[in-house]
Amino acid sequence: MKTVKERKIHSGPLYDKARTKARLIATVGKIIQKYGYRGLTLVNIGKESGLDRKLVYTYFGTVDNLVEEYIKQRDFWKFGGKKAVENMLETPEDIGKDDIYNLLIGQFDTLFKDRAYQQIIHWELGEKNKLLRNIADKREAVGELVFKVIEDKFSKANIDIRARLALQVGGIYYLVLHARANGSTVCGIDINQEEGEMRIKNAIKEIVDDAFHKAKYNKK
């Protein structure tokens, strides 16, 4: 006797709610690409989504909450990075240079490929905004989870790992935004070209390797 497969449900309150929320979240990205972040108004969200704008209040409470949900889904440190950190913390004693390097390269690749994410970082840099500060603080909290585990091994070798990683994270933001916004080079290196991209990634690896090497052999 043939087994009758259950039909997938493509309608109903839960499915429709999830689909509508996803549509509204995706609309935030469309607006950022089309109008910039100043175009994130309730009117534009309703127009671009083709949905009743009151649904923003129904499912998110405020426009800011909707925008925050979109940013959280694009932000490397809230999703890909956070997941990587959680995996690392399952065996904190095994955290090594490859783990830190992969985190930094993950940030580089995510930002490099995502135009909307680049717009969001531009927005953070150019405007004092409570929503964006909240996102930045949550991003910092993810990094703090790693520092609490690894900082001690570096401090014993008189290495300021926070400062080293701050320069690398900040450098990644600057290099990518500069290159992707207007195609400019930094120190003659064009990361829009594969050769330039690999030079930066190799330099990131060298800096991380150096820190771990000194932590291993230069303990107080």
Side-chain angles (χ1 to χ4, degrees):
M1 186 174 69
K2 291 184 178 180
T3 302
V4 179
K5 293 183 178 180
E6 292 186 9
R7 294 181 61 187
K8 292 183 179 180
I9 298 174
H10 293 290
S11 62
L14 291 177
Y15 178 82
D16 290 342
K17 178 181 177 180
R19 184 173 58 179
T20 299
K21 289 180 70 174
R23 188 167 167 180
L24 289 169
I25 291 168
T27 298
V28 173
K30 293 178 181 178
I31 291 173
I32 289 175
Q33 298 271 28
K34 191 172 182 179
Y35 303 109
Y37 43 80
R38 297 191 185 281
L40 289 169
T41 65
L42 192 61
V43 172
N44 282 342
I45 292 169
K47 177 182 174 182
E48 293 296 322
S49 68
L51 297 169
D52 187 337
R53 59 193 184 188
K54 292 180 182 178
L55 290 170
V56 172
Y57 296 124
T58 300
Y59 293 130
F60 298 95
T62 66
V63 171
D64 275 358
N65 288 344
L66 169 60
V67 174
E68 181 175 6
E69 185 59 35
Y70 174 81
I71 295 175
K72 281 162 51 179
Q73 292 188 14
R74 312 298 288 203
D75 193 304
F76 170 74
W77 293 103
K78 289 299 295 176
F79 274 75
K82 185 176 182 181
K83 182 62 178 176
V85 168
E86 289 172 348
N87 289 338
M88 289 161 55
L89 293 178
E90 289 180 2
T91 53
E93 66 280 359
D94 294 332
I95 295 176
K97 58 186 180 181
D98 288 343
D99 297 305
I100 303 302
Y101 171 73
N102 289 333
L103 271 179
L104 294 170
I105 295 305
Q107 179 204 358
F108 183 103
D109 288 340
T110 301
L111 184 60
F112 190 81
K113 296 172 184 176
D114 193 330
R115 293 284 186 179
Y117 188 20
Q118 293 160 25
Q119 291 266 16
I120 291 165
I121 299 301
H122 272 296
W123 187 12
E124 282 191 23
L125 295 173
E127 184 176 316
K128 187 174 182 179
N129 181 293
K130 185 181 292 186
L131 165 64
L132 298 176
R133 174 58 190 270
N134 184 45
I135 293 291
D137 288 346
K138 289 179 179 179
R139 186 186 300 137
E140 279 289 296
V142 175
E144 192 63 30
L145 295 174
V146 178
F147 284 125
K148 286 181 178 179
V149 175
I150 69 170
E151 192 169 28
D152 188 54
K153 72 168 67 176
F154 290 98
S155 62
K156 290 179 179 177
N158 199 30
I159 296 170
D160 191 343
I161 192 64
R162 285 180 183 266
R164 288 194 181 211
L165 291 178
L167 286 171
Q168 288 180 282
V169 170
I172 289 170
Y173 282 131
Y174 182 82
L175 286 166
V176 173
L177 295 180
H178 233 281
R180 303 304 274 173
N182 57 31
S184 63
T185 63
V186 176
C187 297
I189 297 177
D190 183 1
I191 66 170
N192 286 311
Q193 301 299 319
E194 185 177 357
E195 179 188 7
E197 179 184 344
M198 291 311 302
R199 288 179 69 180
I200 294 302
K201 288 183 176 180
N202 287 337
I204 292 172
K205 187 175 188 304
E206 288 174 7
I207 294 169
V208 173
D209 286 351
D210 178 71
F212 274 84
H213 177 79
K214 288 181 176 177
K216 183 177 181 179
Y217 294 105
N218 297 334
K219 295 180 180 179
K220 291 180 181 178

